[in-house]
Every structure is written in C-alpha cells, then in structure tokens.
Amino acid sequence: MPPATIGIVGGGQLGQMMALAAKQMGYKVGVLDPGINCSAGQVADFQITAEYADHQALMELSKKCDVLTYEFENVDVSSLKEAQAYTSLPQGTALLTITGNRINEKNFLKKNGISVTDFTAISDESELAGAIKLIGYPSILKTADGGYDGHGQQNLNSVVDLEASLKLIRQAGCILEKRQPFVKELSVMVTRSLAGNIQIFPVTENIHHHHILYQSIIPARIKGSITKHAQQIAVTIAEKLNLRGVLGVELFLLPNGKLLVNELAPRPHNSGHYSIEACNISQFEAHIRSICGLEIPLIKLNSPAVMMNLLGQHLESARQLMPSRPQWHFHDYGKTEIRQDRKMGHITLVGNDLNKLLAEINQESIWEA
C-alpha cells in the first residue's frame, strides 16, 4: 500500500508513465538508468545512475524498494533472482526468460496451443541453408535476444539476401520466421491481479512505418468475432504465465481471418498509450495495481481514440502546433537528445467518431515522409 516504494529498472518513457501513475496513487518511485536526466528520473523520487548490467546498482535499488518492476525485456535474470532477497518481484523471472528470447517465446506459445508463424532456431551460419529449406521465402531472420523497432532483423526474399543475413548470424543466435501476408497488425494489453482476475484492454489496430509504430487505432476496425478471439488469446496467455503486471500481445490478422501471435511484451506497450485518456484506467495504472496486489477494475473504453507517435523528426513541428491544437493530448517524454526515428512523445485524440479522428490527425503535415 502507499507510500511504499516501487523500483523501476529502466528510465525511458514507459518508466516515466509508470512512475506518474504510481505517484498519483501515492507511491514513491526509484529508477535505475544510466542516463542523467532520463525520462523516468525526471518524475521519480530518486534515481540510481548506473548501467543496467551494474549488479551492485541493481542490488542498491532493490534494498531501497518494496516492489521491483522493469520497463524492458533485456534485464539480467540472474541479478533479478538475487534481488528477490531484498524486495518483492511480483512478475518473477520466468516471464523474462520466456519473452526475452524469441525462440523461448515461440516455443512457449506453440506448446500452449497458440498459433504462431512457422519458425526454426539458427545457432550458426552452417544451419542457414537447412533453415531456409524448412521455412522458405519470404522469411525474416531475427536475433533471438534483444532487438526492437526493426533492429536485429533481416528480410530474406531470395538467395540474393543470404549474404547480408550472415552478419546477423555471426553476431548472435537467431530465429528464422516465415513472413506472413497479414492484412492488419493488432495488439491487446492484458493484466492479472494477485487474486487471479484477468482484465483485458480493447483490441488495437496498429500501423507501422519502417518497423516503428506510427499509428494506433482504437477500437480496431475488425469483426466482433475476431475481437473476441484476440482477447481470448490474451486471456489464455495470461493464465499460462500466471501473469502479474501488464503484458502486450502483438498479433497478425491473416486474409482468411486467422490470428497469429507475433510477439509478447512483458510490460506496458507503445500501442497501449491511448488508454491514459480513452479508458477508465490506463495500462500504467493497471500495471502498478497488479504488481502491488491491488484489485483491477473492469477495463472500459470511454471513447474511440487515435494515437500517433512523435519521433525525433516530428517533435519540433508538433511543439509548434501544440498551442493551436487544444484537442491534442500531447505527451513529450522530455528526452534530452533528439534523434531521427527515436520515440520522443505521442499525441492522442479521443472522440465519438473514429473516422473524423483519423481524418483530423492524418491531415497534419508533421507526419509526412
């Protein structure tokens, strides 16, 4: 219960929004991040400035906190296990072991009857030819660990692309996945309370540009039967994981109406940012409630919404327009370094007419290529 202290490993925008939700509820927040003046550190009670791999720094954070969580997958599991001697880690470490490695994740989903694309593991370049024979073209080669927003990936459309893929294999173990001709990318945020009650957020329709989320549309423009199926998949995964916290489930909708799970995110997700304004409870408050053992209300969408990411190339233009756009819910993460394709903020529009919202936001010139 508040005023207990919540420790967050990671000081980016997800950590910032977790911290804001926690502070609103009366909790104290500590952050571990190597960046001075990081996004989450700006709103936390204290920050330990150190690399994520700094074992002693993580132990220091653990000793200062009552509950520990994280905002990204690439956290050292062995250090987290040791941290449990000093603090509570409601999400456990099995969740990270599964979702922090693409091969583990796909095997977990397949084992539990969740549909995924065809895949095979590749440990070195000698296995590539056999993997291609098994999976075929077109396919995607991904590093098994790490990678985000398209990093650590190589499209394989023909034998011409094999040479470029060898560099990726030499860097790390990989997974080869069959590329699917999806018609929509969807996501669902799901959470589970200490008592085991599962709550599901609306299904979101996501549009990506250059592997980076560009726009989220809520609710997704899909049949009701597909919405129910996507939410049931999220419930099944939450049950199998004994989930605590929030989990993002990313899916592909195929032309025949079939759903495939693409990836899992063991934390709040970019596509769930709309929930701050559009739902009765945000994904961030749901995460805090779950890890702190509080019950979570039934999730309701109060109105349709559109969320647009602001990357480095968009931020200054958006800042200039913001004073004349009272309908914008403008979020600036306060990052000190503005870079091309770096997520710097987002804008959410809410209203009763989804088509009007889309027309309004799509006519803004700041997102033009």
Side-chain angles (χ1 to χ4, degrees):
M1 294 294 294
T5 299
I6 299 171
I8 304 173
V9 181
Q13 64 267 22
L14 296 178
Q16 183 187 69
M17 288 180 272
M18 283 185 203
L20 288 169
K23 293 295 295 176
Q24 181 177 310
M25 297 168 69
Y27 289 99
K28 296 188 182 302
V29 176
V31 173
L32 171 63
D33 192 274
I36 297 172
N37 197 39
C38 68
S39 298
Q42 294 171 24
V43 299
D45 292 277
F46 67 90
Q47 177 182 340
I48 297 173
T49 305
E51 297 295 330
Y52 301 126
D54 188 326
H55 179 79
Q56 291 305 316
L58 182 59
M59 294 307 107
E60 180 185 351
L61 178 67
S62 302
K63 291 174 183 178
K64 290 184 174 182
C65 298
D66 300 289
V67 179
L68 190 66
T69 187
Y70 42 81
E71 67 146 18
F72 60 92
E73 292 89 319
N74 301 319
V75 186
D76 182 61
V77 172
S78 61
S79 292
L80 283 178
K81 287 180 178 178
E82 186 173 333
Q84 291 179 98
Y86 308 107
T87 188
S88 173
L89 184 68
Q91 294 159 277
T93 56
L95 178 62
L96 276 181
T97 301
I98 292 169
T99 61
N101 179 280
R102 289 188 170 100
I103 299 168
N104 292 347
E105 185 174 278
K106 286 287 195 297
N107 284 327
F108 163 80
L109 293 167
K110 190 174 181 179
K111 177 183 176 182
N112 287 286
I114 307 294
S115 296
V116 296
T117 191
D118 294 338
F119 68 95
T120 188
I122 301 176
S123 58
D124 59 57
E125 56 190 278
S126 68
E127 298 178 350
L128 180 59
I132 289 292
K133 186 175 181 180
L134 179 66
I135 302 299
Y137 298 109
S139 54
I140 308 176
L141 184 71
K142 302 177 181 179
T143 55
D145 299 305
Y148 65 96
D149 290 346
H151 297 286
Q153 297 186 20
Q154 173 69 44
N155 287 326
L156 299 180
N157 297 308
S158 70
V159 68
V160 175
D161 300 316
L162 293 182
E163 184 63 31
S165 69
L166 293 177
K167 182 179 178 181
L168 205 61
I169 297 173
R170 290 167 187 149
Q171 292 174 354
C174 291
I175 182 172
L176 186 69
E177 301 178 359
K178 182 177 179 60
R179 197 160 77 230
Q180 294 291 337
F182 59 85
V183 293
K184 287 184 186 292
E185 293 183 85
L186 308 172
S187 62
V188 187
M189 308 308 299
V190 61
T191 188
R192 179 176 170 272
S193 71
L194 174 63
N197 296 317
I198 295 173
Q199 303 295 346
I200 319 162
F201 284 84
V203 178
T204 302
E205 177 182 342
N206 300 313
I207 298 171
H208 289 76
H209 287 177
H210 309 297
H211 302 288
I212 302 173
L213 182 62
Y214 165 74
Q215 181 181 78
S216 289
I217 301 165
I218 309 93
R221 297 168 296 180
I222 54 177
K223 294 179 180 178
S225 58
I226 295 173
T227 295
K228 290 180 181 178
H229 187 199
Q231 291 180 323
Q232 184 54 56
I233 288 171
V235 168
T236 299
I237 293 170
E239 289 173 341
K240 297 297 183 181
L241 288 171
N242 290 319
L243 180 68
R244 292 288 298 281
V246 161
L247 178 81
V249 182
E250 299 179 58
L251 308 107
F252 291 145
L253 174 62
L254 302 187
N256 62 3
K258 184 177 181 179
L259 289 173
L260 301 180
V261 172
N262 179 36
E263 289 185 350
L264 304 178
R267 49 168 172 74
H269 189 264
N270 191 176
S271 66
H273 292 349
Y274 74 91
S275 61
I276 297 172
E277 287 85 22
C279 293
N280 61 314
I281 179 175
S282 75
Q283 64 168 341
F284 301 102
E285 182 177 342
H287 183 81
I288 297 301
R289 284 180 169 274
S290 178
I291 65 171
C292 290
L294 309 180
E295 197 50 71
I296 305 161
L298 179 69
I299 307 298
K300 296 179 181 178
L301 181 67
N302 292 327
S303 64
V306 177
M307 190 280 297
M308 300 285 290
N309 268 332
L310 292 172
L311 306 182
Q313 59 267 34
H314 307 140
L315 185 62
E316 288 303 327
S317 296
R319 283 173 171 171
Q320 293 298 316
L321 287 173
M322 189 261 286
S324 62
R325 300 293 191 273
Q327 71 276 26
W328 284 6
H329 294 277
F330 186 89
H331 295 256
D332 187 328
Y333 306 146
K335 295 180 180 180
T336 54
E337 183 182 358
I338 299 175
R339 296 197 308 266
Q340 177 89 7
D341 291 339
R342 188 185 193 194
K343 293 173 183 174
M344 304 299 298
H346 72 269
I347 291 169
T348 302
L349 269 68
V350 295
N352 295 324
D353 190 323
L354 186 56
N355 289 329
K356 286 184 179 180
L357 294 177
L358 283 166
E360 180 180 332
I361 200 71
N362 287 336
Q363 73 181 3
E364 297 287 3
S365 61
I366 60 173
W367 286 284
E368 291 179 357

